[in-house]
Amino acid sequence: MKISAKHIALKTLKWLGITVVVVLLLLFLLPILFPGKVESEVKKLANKSLASKLEFSNTKLSFFTHFPSLTVSIDNVSLMGSKPFENDTLVRARQVALGINLKRLIFDNTVKIDELYVDDAVINVQVNKQGQANYNVYISPKDTPKKPTDPEEGTAIQFDRIDFSDCHITYNDRSANMLVDARGFNYLGRGGFTKDVFDMETDANIDAIDFYYNGVPYLERKEVHADLITRVNTNALSFILQKNELRINELPLEFTGFFTILRDGYNIGINAASRNTTLKDIFSVAPPQYLTWMEKTRIEGDADLRFTFKGRYNAAKNQQPDLGMVFKVNNGVLAYNNTPASMEKLRVDVNATLPSLDVNRMVLDVKAFDFNIGKNGYFKALLNTKGLETMAVKADIKAALNLAELDATLGLPDVDLKGMLRTDIVANGTFNAKKRLFPKTKGSIDLKGGWLKTSYYPNPIQRITLVANITDTDGTFGGLKMALTPASFEFEGNPVYVSATAENLDDVLYTSRIKGELNVGRIYKVFKRKGLNVTGYVKADLSLNGRQSYATTGQYSKLDNRGTLLLKDIKTRSDLFPKAFYINEGLFRFQNEKMWFERFTAHYGKSDFALNGYLRNTINYFISGKGTLHGEFGLKSKLINVDEFMALQPADAASPAESKADAAKASVKKDHPKASGVVAVPHNLDVWLKADANEVAYNGLLLKNLTGGAGISGGQMYLKGAKFDIIGCKVGIDARYKNESAVAANFDARFTAKDFNVKRAYNELPMFREMATAADKAEGVISIDYTIKGDLDANMAPIYESLHGGGTITLRDIKVKGLKMFGAISEKTGQGSINNPSFKDIVVHSTINNNVIDIKPFTFKVSLFRPTIKGTTSFNGLLDLRVRLGLPPAGLIGIPITVTGTHSQPKIKVFSKTGKAIKEAVYDTKTNKVISEEKVTKEPDKKE
């Protein structure tokens, strides 16, 4: 029987159609048949395998999310980090999909996850200074104790495919001072991930990557393409780089080596090289702002670039890998915009190593850095250094450059240069500031006809002359000689002239002559820096001659320092204070050892200062950067706002962090987010002030008409014989203050006040209200003579548990009304006249020790009675008082009464001498921490 071709075709199409229908039906039915199984197993896996909090909005099972894989998709995923980052997000993704092994699901009814898809995610990897990371969220099976009842198999993760799409990944390792920020991260990894050892194929593309080390940007917004084959050993968590080709912009790099993750860090051995490439390819990884310059510049030359990164990293053991770099250029040419003068015969041979990432062991070997430019211009440099704190130096630098040709050849943006620069420097030896070692040196720099103009300001700095010479014949600071003879320039018609010599840095013998005037604001515009606005005016006419030891040994007659220095509208910063000081006007006159402040007005935030007086030891201080400045001043001010000087107060909006101290304060602020900090006192001042301030603001208090002596010495601040007005009362104070850190300080002080209005003090002084809670029931005036010492907290408020002191409080004329203690005694004894007593000229002696106030016996008269009170109370309101109610006549017979409980809930026992002792707080003065204190327990009011 003959079967026609038509029949065969129809039958084939029929079965093909049935197959397609069955497949499509399965695609729809399988997610319906297994949703509960898959979703429950995924949730079980998350609870079992993750050590941190996982949140998501919903899940769905489908073939079509990542066709043809069956995937469970989890939307709006948020995964928190591991300790100590449990409050920070590790991963936030629009969708995470887990691919399910279809064969195991259908035939074994087992959920095996073998694919991972992450879409539109932000991944924030953090490592703190101690080396603790936030990504340790997965609990491996070997870390999970197995129970006898546990099944042999369950949900498992064994990836065969990992796919990241449009992700933003940040890796911030503070222990290694390393930051990687990758945006537009797309990654596809394939391999036999289910095996213990397998080869992983990787295809990765990054739209823009930044790499920072020690705060320095080495890559910014660079495009990266990677084609990698990596052998992975899951047992050892080791990655062996086999074929790894990377391209950063136009620069090709090949990687070989390994990376092994250890429980306490990692072990790495990476070699990266871009051999036989071109100088232009290397320039392609320069910061983005230079790309336009590259398009207009002829860049030629062969180049080699190699990196090595080898060793163990363990923060606890202070182990760090070794970093190495080799960079070579041959026959290099640079010529901007077809300039006739080009940089040619560029030769670079640099080898740098950083053992254990320790800058004090850094080795830099510049075997060659040479080029020719123009007709006769050249630059030749050899440099070899080892170490940093103790640095072995060998250098030979020679140059003869026409700066106009150099400017044209490099096409320096926004800068025009002119002048002839010649330099010849040879050095060989060791530099160590502590050991007073300096390399044997002979060198000179000679600039004639200098001219500098930028696009930021219309007028140039011109007629620049610089003749500098340096010699050192014996390799010590003592043998060093430097001469600047002369240096001069002209700016906007104003010439500035400097001539100076110095020799023997162990005891500097100096001569200098400085004359000229300069508009600092205008000249700063020449060197414009984004985000900063500098103004000011300087005029100098100074002649300084002498030897450093003349000032330190008191041989002032041998000094010949004279002249004047005028400053106007100058901004200056100190690491000690959060805001900048603004010198409105400062006229300084130098007279031998003294620098006189003839006219000096300045402001800091809302505070203003007018000073007149002198500083001594200024020349020695400016030369050495050490020593102590001594002085005496008169100070006048309309307002001194102490709160603005507190270390953690916000800095000026226009003043970004400008020093390491700013970064340190930012770290302290992170640990104490609600703290204002304490006021820091300079250690290099020994200055006495005769102060006269109209107002002083401090911690909610407003002190008026402050007068008296104030001093700074040895990192401490003193007040002697100071007086001020507050709430209509004249207060006297002698005090000492010292800050221990940005958030801790200590003090001791003696306060005297006469006719202090209690009611007004309670209403207007927050600190008085906290320390004397019972004062709200009193009216009248008191006098105080009290000495007290203790610590201040991170908001510069007293820590009551640290206080010690004693003194007298004289109750001049006080009426008490509604105080619960007297009301309770009145009720218990049936004597209504005791309820609201009055006090007149009663002297109360007391001492303070660790939160407990010990009141010595004092007697007063109420109606016909003579009560005597003694005992203890505390700043948090506890009572343990003994009251003897002296009966008429003359109080010879008395009724013993004990008062315990609190000010708000006193407990009265008549005919009792047994109270309840209040325990002193235990306070650690080294850590400024309260170890223990007796707490106040609130009880409902009840009658006994």
Side-chain angles (χ1 to χ4, degrees), residues 373-546:
I373 188 169
K375 293 181 180 180
N376 302 306
Y378 67 89
F379 182 89
K380 295 181 181 295
L382 298 174
L383 176 65
N384 183 280
T385 69
K386 295 180 181 179
L388 188 64
E389 185 175 327
T390 299
M391 180 186 291
V393 178
K394 189 174 182 179
D396 189 350
I397 303 171
K398 292 179 173 60
L401 297 172
N402 183 320
L403 296 183
E405 290 181 344
L406 181 66
D407 183 14
T409 299
L410 297 180
L412 298 177
D414 303 314
V415 177
D416 288 331
L417 291 174
K418 294 179 185 178
M420 290 300 302
L421 174 66
R422 294 182 181 275
T423 183
D424 187 351
I425 300 174
V426 177
N428 190 357
T430 302
F431 175 83
N432 185 302
K434 291 181 179 179
K435 296 181 179 179
R436 316 298 287 173
L437 298 177
F438 196 91
K440 292 183 179 180
T441 304
K442 183 178 181 180
S444 64
I445 299 175
D446 190 331
L447 173 62
K448 299 288 178 62
W451 193 87
L452 169 64
K453 183 181 180 303
T454 71
S455 61
Y456 309 120
Y457 196 75
N459 300 325
I461 303 172
Q462 56 187 341
R463 297 186 177 89
I464 304 172
T465 298
L466 175 66
V467 179
N469 291 277
I470 180 171
T471 59
D472 192 307
T473 57
D474 64 2
T476 67
F477 274 30
L480 185 63
K481 295 181 180 180
M482 298 176 289
L484 193 63
T485 54
S488 60
F489 65 89
E490 184 179 303
F491 181 64
E492 294 196 324
N494 294 320
V496 175
Y497 175 86
V498 178
S499 175
T501 65
E503 59 181 86
N504 185 8
L505 293 192
D506 288 329
D507 183 12
V508 180
L509 177 65
Y510 61 90
T511 64
S512 64
R513 181 81 174 93
I514 306 168
K515 186 177 178 62
E517 57 184 289
L518 191 62
N519 188 313
V520 178
R522 291 180 182 177
I523 201 167
Y524 199 86
K525 289 180 180 178
V526 176
F527 308 97
K528 183 178 180 181
R529 181 179 171 190
K530 188 177 180 181
L532 288 182
N533 182 24
V534 176
T535 61
Y537 172 84
V538 178
K539 184 177 181 180
D541 188 356
L542 293 173
S543 176
L544 307 174
N545 303 279

Side-chain angles (χ1 to χ4, degrees), residues 5-27:
K6 180 179 178 182
H7 179 74
I8 293 173
L10 289 173
K11 197 166 186 178
T12 301
L13 289 172
K14 176 182 175 183
W15 284 106
L16 184 60
I18 291 172
T19 301
V20 171
V21 170
V22 170
V23 170
L24 290 174
L25 187 60
L26 285 173
L27 292 178

Side-chain angles (χ1 to χ4, degrees), residues 646-662:
M646 294 180 183
L648 303 183
Q649 288 285 5
D652 296 326
S655 297
E658 296 172 3
S659 69
K660 291 183 179 179
D662 292 308

Side-chain angles (χ1 to χ4, degrees), residues 90 114 170 227 412 443 481 523 624 663 675 781 805 811 827 874 907 915:
L90 171 62
D114 56 8
T170 302
D227 183 10
L412 298 177
K481 295 181 180 180
I523 201 167
S624 66
V781 293
L811 310 179
E827 183 179 350
S874 68
K907 297 178 180 179

